[in-house]
Amino acid sequence: MSTEAVGATRRDYREEYETFRLEDAEALLAGDPASAINACVECCDRYVGEGRVALRCLSADETLTSYTFEDLQALSARAANVFRAEGVVPGDVVAGLLPRTLELVVAILGAWRLGAIYQPLFTAFGPKAIEHRLRLGGAKLVVTNPANRGKLDEVEGCPRVAIVAEPGAVPAGDLDFRAALKAAEPTFEPVSRRGDDLFMLMSTSGTTGAAKGVPVPLRALNAISAYMRYAVDLRADDTFWNIADPGWAYGLYYAITGPLMLGCATLLYEGGFTAESTYRIIQRMGVTNLAGSPTAYRLLIAAGPELAEPVKGALRVVSSAGEPLNPEVMRWFEAHLAVPIHDHYGQTENGMMVNNHHGLTHPVRPGSSGLPMPGYRMAVLDEAGNELGPNRPGILAVDIARSPLLWFRGYYHQDTPAIAGGYYRTGDTVEREPDGSISFVGRSDDIITSAGYRIGPFDVESALIEHPAVVETAVIGVPDPERTEIVKAFVVLADGVRGTPALADELASHVKRRLSAHAYPRQVEFVDELPKTPSGKIQRFILRKSEIAKSQPG
Ligand SMILES: CC(C)(COP(=O)(O)OP(=O)(O)OC[C@H]1O[C@@H](n2cnc3c(N)ncnc32)[C@H](O)[C@@H]1OP(=O)(O)O)[C@@H](O)C(=O)NCCC(=O)NCCSC(=O)CC(=O)O
């Protein structure tokens, strides 16, 4: 597989797009049943022997510790031995409920070395979101830390727990992960898998049901490395930092897997996001290649240009994903940080597919998500599934037969109506410009995009309905200048319960604790009834329309 950064000299987009083919070694990975592959070899072993730094960990108090690929090889081997001793076999699921620390990477690489499937659990999740995901994948083992351990007590049927804790703080019955790593052998022959075998089990929010499982086969590695080269333009001499959390696709695919696959060091910062710490870390670590979400960038801007001044000119490229990037953010970054910031579009289901590529030359239009990545043919479809020409809004879809990098073949053990007629429909409404670039118009369903997170209204509604004061609820996204959208809940209360601000806060806290700290309703409105179809289905779009009308001046 080619690991060379294409960006060393930028290549012409058109030429690269038209001549794209999976190179011979990559074609093997792309599904040849005879191919043998191991994700830990791709992301670690292949760089062993050069003493290269693979991982820089900054703790919450900003203490720096660096690890080489050799360190990660030995630690992943120890972890694989620990997992095997716990009964994990190739094809089993190992879940990680850990902050951005060394042990997170060790758990991921250890699972992969053994041929197991890694399932991320975002540390903001509450027991409800965790239980749903652990059930979905039938995880054999979950690796966590004391800050998150208590949530697992509320998970029915919780699997065996390995905990990263001080020796005195390991709960009875749990496996002391650090002690077990120490005692384990530092060698483990990587288990060969095939391109179609899974190595990650992700989840993503739906509009009608609870979060769906997204199986990720090993051949997705082709697309992940292609994105790092074409769109992120990651080079050997870059210091790379993707601030997204590896509890989600953007972080797991492109903060961990992608840079390690190219043999580049990645940076994990355990602390929460603030503009001050972000600028401080860029300066201290000499970050040249930065990735994150528009909300993070808007928060940097809101902190003022003075904070940006010391890092002006330090960054070479900046990538943005998770929600559309505002043209104003692009202009501000040019003016105050002297760096181009480019919008990239993707989904958990299939990674990045449409980009303003840093590593390829093509015009970049503010407000546009860019051009299809080489390896994908994108189409804009009408409701009947016909391809539309320029300037006509429709659903963005991937042409399956002509997209050699496409890996998504359906949700985990679930029907996937989004795949039909030779296309995978993304659910996003877009418009294609005459120059081929694609502009995001909106979602064609009820999914909420807030601060780059995809939030399913159904998940929030089912958490709210658990509260005794709530009889019925409908959850929508309402426009917000900072977070794109925020979650708003319309709530019908039980007889005799009064809708007070204190109750609104209580409901928000309930969702935060049970479902997730990022998905709670920031607005709660108490109503007598909800708009419904004659058959009783809640019409969220009516609520959304009236909120949009309210937010528009005049
Ligand atoms: C822009 C941000 C850095 C801003 O960070 P903030 O900390 O201000 O806010 P937030 O949205 O993360 O968090 C909302 C609330 O949850 C809390 N919170 C966040 N993370 C937490 C954690 N790990 N543990 C406990 N609480 C946590 C915060 O304190 C905050 O509480 P309070 O509100 O009380 O202060 C972040 O939102 C971000 O990284 N967004 C990008 C998300 C992303 O990576 N998207 C792409 C992947 S999604 C994806 O792949 C899509 C898909 O599913 O298909």
Side-chain angles (χ1 to χ4, degrees):
M1 187 180 313
S2 166
T3 52
E4 174 209 357
V6 285
T9 48
R10 290 203 168 108
R11 297 184 192 175
D12 177 64
Y13 170 79
R14 268 297 136 215
E15 201 182 314
E16 196 68 22
Y17 188 84
E18 272 149 29
T19 59
F20 179 88
R21 63 180 187 87
L22 289 175
E23 288 153 26
D24 294 344
E26 288 180 321
L28 273 180
L29 176 60
D32 179 336
S35 70
I37 176 152
N38 180 285
C40 186
V41 170
E42 296 302 322
C43 293
C44 177
D45 291 19
R46 64 162 56 240
Y47 299 106
V48 163
E50 302 169 33
R52 279 199 220 185
V53 173
L55 176 65
R56 296 188 177 95
C57 290
L58 268 180
S59 62
D61 67 4
E62 296 180 27
T63 305
L64 176 67
T65 319
S66 298
Y67 303 91
T68 59
F69 282 98
E70 288 78 4
D71 294 332
L72 292 189
Q73 185 186 45
L75 284 164
S76 66
R78 288 177 189 272
N81 279 313
V82 170
F83 295 154
R84 185 157 66 187
E86 287 297 320
V88 177
V89 297
D92 278 349
V93 174
V94 171
L97 177 61
L98 285 169
R100 296 178 290 265
T101 52
L102 169 70
E103 286 80 6
L104 170 69
V105 177
V106 170
I108 295 168
L109 292 179
W112 290 349
R113 197 165 192 89
L114 173 61
I117 301 164
Y118 176 74
Q119 181 181 36
L121 299 170
F122 184 36
T123 50
F125 283 159
K128 191 174 167 68
I130 294 169
E131 182 174 303
H132 173 68
R133 284 163 179 78
L134 288 174
R135 273 208 194 149
L136 193 81
K140 267 271 176 69
L141 184 87
V142 54
V143 189
T144 191
N145 68 348
N148 289 284
R149 179 63 183 87
K151 299 172 192 173
L152 296 175
D153 289 334
E154 291 179 52
V155 167
E156 220 184 289
C158 183
R160 171 94 159 123
V161 177
I163 190 161
V164 180
E166 296 308 316
V170 176
D174 285 3
L175 175 72
D176 180 338
F177 191 53
R178 277 193 189 137
L181 286 178
K182 218 178 223 174
E185 284 295 319
T187 54
F188 188 105
E189 191 56 34
V191 176
S192 287
R193 306 289 286 161
R194 292 170 175 187
D196 283 327
D197 288 331
L198 306 189
F199 76 124
M200 296 182 199
L201 178 60
M202 311 301 293
S203 43
T204 192
S205 293
T207 188
T208 50
K212 294 174 278 197
V214 177
V216 183
L218 281 150
R219 65 191 148 73
L221 288 168
N222 286 324
I224 292 174
S225 73
Y227 168 74
M228 296 307 289
R229 290 180 282 129
Y230 287 136
V232 175
D233 188 24
L234 186 60
R235 300 180 185 181
D237 57 358
D238 268 329
T239 299
F240 177 68
W241 186 24
N242 179 344
I243 60 183
D245 192 282
W248 296 104
Y250 191 35
L252 184 54
Y253 299 171
Y254 307 117
I256 294 191
T257 314
L260 293 182
M261 250 194 114
L262 295 201
C264 293
T266 193
L267 174 64
L268 292 184
Y269 171 51
E270 196 184 349
F273 178 90
T274 64
E276 290 76 10
S277 63
T278 304
Y279 283 125
R280 193 165 57 237
I281 292 166
I282 291 171
Q283 193 174 18
R284 169 176 169 199
M285 303 303 297
V287 174
T288 54
N289 193 324
L290 182 73
S293 69
T295 299
Y297 298 134
R298 288 193 289 265
L299 292 171
L300 290 184
I301 294 172
E306 304 76 33
L307 280 184
E309 191 55 37
V311 299
K312 188 170 183 176
L315 293 161
R316 188 175 64 79
V317 297
V318 180
S319 304
S320 174
E323 45 188 332
L325 183 67
N326 330 54
E328 308 84 76
V329 177
M330 296 176 75
R331 287 192 281 272
W332 196 95
F333 268 60
E334 285 285 359
H336 297 283
L337 287 164
V339 62
I341 174 170
H342 286 184
D343 193 14
H344 301 159
Y345 165 88
Q347 287 189 324
T348 300
E349 284 87 337
N350 205 47
M352 298 298 182
M353 296 168 277
V354 175
N355 308 301
N356 290 295
H357 302 85
H358 280 294
L360 299 172
T361 51
H362 61 75
V364 173
R365 238 172 2 86
S368 152
S369 301
L371 292 158
M373 187 162 91
Y376 290 94
R377 182 176 176 272
M378 307 300 290
V380 181
L381 303 182
D382 67 12
E383 282 190 0
N386 303 308
E387 291 204 15
L388 294 168
N391 300 326
R392 298 193 47 203
I395 295 293
L396 181 66
V398 189
D399 177 346
I400 295 172
R402 287 195 271 172
S403 298
L405 287 181
L406 178 95
W407 77 66
F408 183 63
R409 294 287 183 269
Y411 294 106
Y412 196 59
H413 302 319
Q414 211 173 324
D415 288 346
T416 306
I419 294 181
Y423 296 99
Y424 159 63
R425 288 163 178 74
T426 63
D428 288 312
T429 304
V430 300
E431 228 174 79
R432 196 196 287 273
E433 306 300 326
D435 66 3
S437 66
I438 289 168
S439 301
F440 182 83
V441 176
R443 276 299 293 181
S444 58
D445 54 23
D446 293 337
I447 284 174
I448 300 161
T449 299
S450 181
Y453 298 113
R454 181 161 140 176
I455 298 173
F458 177 87
D459 288 324
V460 184
E461 287 163 2
S462 39
L464 277 169
I465 212 93
E466 287 179 351
H467 193 283
V470 178
V471 167
E472 208 174 31
T473 177
V475 165
I476 60 164
V478 296
D480 180 75
E482 196 168 82
R483 300 183 157 255
T484 303
E485 287 184 312
I486 53 169
V487 176
K488 173 163 184 174
F490 294 84
V491 173
V492 179
L493 291 171
D495 277 349
V497 178
R498 264 179 13 95
T500 61
L503 180 59
D505 288 347
E506 189 183 318
L507 295 179
S509 304
H510 169 80
V511 175
K512 224 174 179 187
R513 203 191 67 75
R514 282 287 298 154
L515 180 67
S516 186
H518 77 292
Y520 67 95
R522 286 169 193 260
Q523 285 181 18
V524 175
E525 186 173 330
F526 299 108
V527 292
D528 293 333
E529 56 179 1
L530 296 169
K532 287 186 189 160
T533 60
S535 63
K537 200 169 166 285
I538 293 171
Q539 294 169 304
R540 296 192 192 102
F541 75 93
I542 293 184
L543 297 168
R544 213 165 32 231
K545 260 192 183 160
S546 83
E547 287 299 314
I548 290 169
K550 268 195 247 166
S551 73
Q552 275 160 0

